[in-house]
Amino acid sequence: MSSMEGLDIRAPIGGLFSLLGLMLAGYGMVAGSRTTSDVAPVTNVNLWWGLVMLLFGIFMLVLSRRAMKRS
Amino acid sequence: MEGNPITHLATIDYAIMAVYFAAVLGVGFALKRVMRTSTDFFLAGKTLPAWVTGLAFISANLGAQEVIGMGASGAKYGIATSHFYWVGAIPAMLFVGLFMMPFYYGSRARSVPEYLKLRFDEKTRTLNAVSFAVMTIFSSGISMYAMGKLFNLLLGWSFNTSVLASAAIVLAYVTLGGLTSAIYNEVLQFFLIVFGFAPLVGLGLKAVGGWDGLTAKLNAASVANGLPQGAYTHAWQGMTHASTNPIGVEWFGLVMGLGFVLSFGYWCTDFLVVQRAMAADSMTAARRTPLIAAFPKMIFPFLVILPGMIALALTSGAGASGMIPAKMANGAPLVDAAGRTVLDFDLATPMMLVKLFPSGMLGLGLTALLASFMSGMAGNVTAFNTVWTYDIYQSHIKPGATDQHYLWMGRVATVGGILLSVAAAYVAGSFNNIMDLLQLVFAFVNAPLFATFALGMFWKRTTGHGAFWGLLSGTLGAALHHGLTLPVGATAGVKGGYFGLLHTYPSELAQTFWTAIVAWTTCFVVSIVVSLATQPRPETELTGLVYSLTPKPKDTDVPWLQRPASLALIVIVLIVGLNLVFR
């Protein structure tokens, strides 16, 4: 066993993506649907993609929690 | 270098960037306290699980060349660009995992050049170490240059600011945490790139009217460019003849040049990627590293090539309002011999980001782009400091020093490597063809190297003299072929033809593939001839270094589904399927 196992990379990944997801979804709720040019479809991509990232972040945090409990 | 920026960032975009860089530096600081020995710093203590090294394995290669370059190729060559993955990278990754990793991981070598020393001799190792060190500096400098130029163009940041800021961040996390920090950040970057680019493909497909809309628009584009319908959306259909596909190569040159020589040469011998697998916590994990990496790598064409194809569909027939801007020369759009506007393909993916993403997602997309440039730099710099410290400094300049001294040297080499990369970035700015030049260096250096490794690992009779002279003459063979041929429409110079002109290829890629084939064949033949004429090493010295003299690795300690051979079988089935679907 090595000291290197002190950091489970899933914890920072989970934290980072949860935070980024919250920021994007929050911004999407405030700013609403946007389009940026004549070719871009009108969607609230910030809101729904922010939520996807938040889910992924929480999933990673859960995985790292379970690994910590086991050891 | 000040310009008129194409877009402006909102506060939310800057906030996303700031959060990401705080996380990157945080990982570096968290790892600082566990870096005690040079093994921790250079080989990540050999303690990482296979999924971490697997994601780092592909992420180390995800620099500017990959993200910007594959989008550019998607716009230029269409779905045929996927051959870089489905014919090139994936089979090579299976081979390195199944057959070569036992020697890298099991031979006590700390680097790829060091394996060459154990198997052959000091001169072969030094030749490889020096050419590899030069290559890493150039690759990392080109990532930096691409980034500085892009952010100058998109956002109006000065070239100096973006280059120096990114250099400072990479310097901080690599000196703090060494290879572990680089690998952990590569895993972060991997997910960031996936999350930053996936919605781009979604929005882009929506904008062109789905896959059917894309096919219809690209059919029109291929006819306009003098190619048969479907040339941009079918990977194999036009491969019987060089004139019926956008790459301008026939199936033999493709499979042999790209698939066999260039891709095996890169993925099987380039220490930049092999180093990630060598950091794994066990032999099985090391062998599974490239196999696990093969799964996400298989779907990467959809993430990085598709945006380029969509950009082409949104450009073709749209005139000046198209997605991809024209290439400019002396203030006017460049026009080719047939009167068609020459497009600046390198801007395909960046323009898609800017035109399809609103504030918020734009910040995420640009952060993903920045992250890819930084992983391109960090991967090269960590490989550089290992090869410099072990293969050049320890073996030629100061042998027999303490572990602490080499750890210190590794940190100094990181600083030196980054300074040299900055210099290389500015040198790159004075050439207009540096990307082509780098591709060429791969054909010169990596292609013959694969012949050396294939012979060294699988033919016990290969000698040190054979390897050394084979390698050298392979590189000379590449130069000779390159110097006697030209891609169509080019003039003699960095594109070839400097010894005269024997043959003209329909594209740069076709020429590069054949240069690689010549380099590999020359090295293969010369190594065999010289080996047969020189004294072989006794077989007892070659145990663990040559296939036939090494006990086969047993994988019975892991469940059936996690064994390297079963993983490889699943990958092969999937890859054949993908090639059939997009034939």
Side-chain angles (χ1 to χ4, degrees):
Chain A
M1 285 291 147
S2 156
S3 55
M4 205 75 69
E5 286 163 21
L7 183 69
D8 181 352
I9 185 63
R10 284 171 296 194
I13 292 177
L16 174 68
F17 281 89
S18 302
L19 181 56
L20 289 178
L22 279 177
M23 287 167 70
L24 271 180
Y27 181 76
M29 277 206 277
V30 176
S33 290
R34 290 289 180 89
T35 183
T36 40
S37 65
D38 47 355
V39 289
V42 186
T43 48
N44 197 341
V45 60
N46 285 325
L47 177 62
W48 59 259
W49 198 249
L51 291 176
V52 171
M53 287 173 65
L54 179 61
L55 278 178
F56 171 75
I58 292 171
F59 176 66
M60 280 287 165
L61 284 175
V62 169
L63 284 184
S64 81
R65 255 294 161 78
R66 282 178 50 188
M68 222 172 4
K69 274 202 189 125
R70 213 177 300 140
S71 64
Chain B
M1 283 223 274
E2 289 299 321
N4 291 322
I6 292 171
T7 188
H8 287 280
L9 293 188
T11 316
I12 177 79
D13 301 318
Y14 284 114
I16 287 173
M17 267 183 209
V19 164
Y20 174 71
F21 290 119
V24 162
L25 291 177
V27 169
F29 275 106
L31 289 170
K32 185 182 185 334
R33 56 196 169 82
V34 294
M35 287 300 133
R36 298 259 181 275
T37 66
S38 65
T39 313
D40 290 341
F41 188 81
F42 291 115
L43 295 170
K46 295 210 172 199
T47 53
L48 299 176
W51 73 271
V52 169
T53 51
L55 292 183
F57 189 86
I58 39 177
S59 210
N61 169 258
L62 267 180
Q65 294 97 313
E66 185 87 354
V67 175
I68 301 289
M70 285 298 161
S73 303
K76 198 172 173 184
Y77 304 120
I79 193 84
T81 310
S82 65
H83 289 312
F84 277 95
Y85 296 80
W86 300 340
V87 171
I90 306 282
M93 285 158 81
L94 298 184
F95 187 79
V96 70
L98 289 180
F99 298 108
M100 293 176 79
M101 205 49 79
F103 305 108
Y104 286 138
Y105 194 87
S107 70
R108 307 180 310 277
R110 293 162 298 184
S111 68
V112 165
E114 192 168 2
Y115 171 81
L116 286 179
K117 177 195 159 54
L118 296 172
R119 173 63 183 87
F120 298 119
D121 51 19
E122 191 64 47
K123 64 179 183 298
T124 314
R125 171 214 215 163
T126 307
L127 179 65
N128 179 229
V130 171
S131 63
F132 179 75
V134 172
M135 245 168 42
T136 52
I137 295 298
F138 266 98
S139 306
S140 134
I142 285 171
S143 261
M144 269 179 154
Y145 167 71
M147 185 189 70
K149 212 180 148 190
L150 194 65
F151 280 79
N152 176 253
L153 184 75
L154 292 184
L155 306 170
W157 296 358
S158 93
F159 183 79
N160 295 337
T161 313
S162 38
V163 164
L164 295 179
S166 69
I169 292 171
V170 172
L171 179 67
Y173 75 75
V174 176
T175 30
L176 285 170
L179 182 65
T180 319
S181 180
I183 287 182
Y184 276 9
N185 276 310
E186 279 159 2
V187 176
L188 279 187
Q189 282 150 353
F190 170 83
F191 287 114
L192 190 70
I193 289 165
V194 170
F195 278 101
F197 278 69
L200 184 68
V201 176
L203 290 183
L205 278 178
K206 211 169 165 185
V208 290
W211 180 257
D212 291 337
L214 180 68
T215 314
K217 287 198 170 74
L218 289 179
N219 276 346
S222 50
V223 172
N225 286 333
L227 291 164
Q229 280 213 358
Y232 288 113
T233 45
H234 287 276
W236 285 104
Q237 203 165 274
M239 283 298 159
T240 42
H241 197 273
S243 65
T244 51
N245 66 77
I247 299 184
V249 68
E250 73 309 320
W251 67 270
F252 180 80
L254 179 88
V255 172
M256 191 67 193
L258 173 65
F260 185 61
V261 178
L262 274 179
S263 298
F264 278 70
Y266 179 80
W267 291 99
C268 299
T269 69
D270 201 294
F271 183 51
L272 168 65
V273 288
V274 173
Q275 186 179 27
R276 269 74 199 147
M278 288 167 86
D281 59 11
S282 66
M283 171 70 91
T284 313
R287 297 182 64 210
R288 280 167 59 202
T289 295
L291 302 172
I292 289 174
F295 286 93
K297 189 80 182 167
M298 247 184 306
I299 52 162
F300 257 65
F302 301 109
L303 221 50
V304 294
I305 299 175
L306 213 45
M309 292 169 62
I310 295 168
L312 177 67
L314 292 172
T315 304
S316 184
S321 65
M323 181 66 72
I324 311 172
K327 207 167 185 127
M328 305 297 274
N330 307 319
L334 212 61
V335 175
D336 71 2
R340 291 186 290 251
T341 315
V342 179
L343 298 175
D344 197 345
F345 292 113
D346 284 339
L347 289 177
T349 301
M351 290 307 286
M352 287 281 286
L353 284 175
V354 166
K355 289 206 176 171
L356 291 181
F357 277 168
S359 298
M361 275 311 296
L362 180 61
L364 186 74
L366 290 176
T367 309
L369 217 48
L370 262 177
S372 101
F373 295 144
M374 295 201 345
S375 75
M377 281 170 60
N380 280 294
V381 167
T382 44
F384 170 82
N385 66 24
T386 308
V387 165
W388 163 262
T389 306
Y390 285 151
D391 296 300
I392 299 173
Y393 185 76
Q394 190 183 28
S395 65
H396 293 289
I397 299 171
K398 190 165 180 177
T402 61
D403 189 60
Q404 282 306 309
H405 180 77
Y406 293 125
L407 182 59
W408 168 82
M409 190 64 227
R411 293 203 156 103
V412 172
T414 304
V415 179
I418 287 180
L419 289 178
L420 285 173
S421 310
V422 173
Y426 283 91
V427 172
S430 63
F431 285 95
N432 62 352
N433 239 326
I434 197 77
M435 283 294 205
D436 290 347
L437 209 59
L438 189 73
Q439 275 305 315
L440 211 61
V441 174
F442 282 140
F444 276 54
V445 176
N446 285 10
L449 200 56
F450 179 60
T452 306
F453 273 91
L455 285 171
M457 284 183 174
F458 300 103
W459 191 43
K460 60 187 179 197
R461 185 68 182 78
T462 323
T463 66
H465 293 299
F468 180 80
W469 292 109
L471 211 51
L472 210 57
S473 54
T475 304
L476 292 178
L480 197 64
H481 174 267
H482 187 248
L484 287 172
T485 58
L486 269 177
V488 68
T491 47
V494 285
K495 297 215 167 192
Y498 35 82
F499 297 140
L501 188 58
L502 281 185
H503 184 72
T504 306
Y505 286 104
S507 76
E508 283 95 342
L509 267 185
Q511 184 197 25
T512 306
F513 293 171
W514 281 102
T515 305
I517 292 173
V518 169
W520 185 87
T521 314
T522 314
C523 177
F524 192 73
V525 172
V526 172
S527 297
I528 291 176
V529 171
V530 176
S531 290
L532 289 174
T534 45
Q535 198 63 39
R537 284 175 65 183
E539 291 191 2
T540 47
E541 290 179 13
L542 296 176
T543 311
L545 300 170
V546 178
Y547 192 78
S548 58
L549 302 174
T550 305
K552 304 293 162 284
K554 294 263 189 299
D555 302 311
T556 39
D557 54 327
V558 287
W560 183 84
L561 200 62
Q562 289 179 20
R563 286 178 203 163
S566 349
L567 283 173
L569 197 66
I570 300 171
V571 172
I572 290 172
V573 170
L574 291 174
I575 209 71
V576 170
L578 279 171
N579 273 305
L580 284 177
V581 169
F582 292 95
R583 68 187 181 280

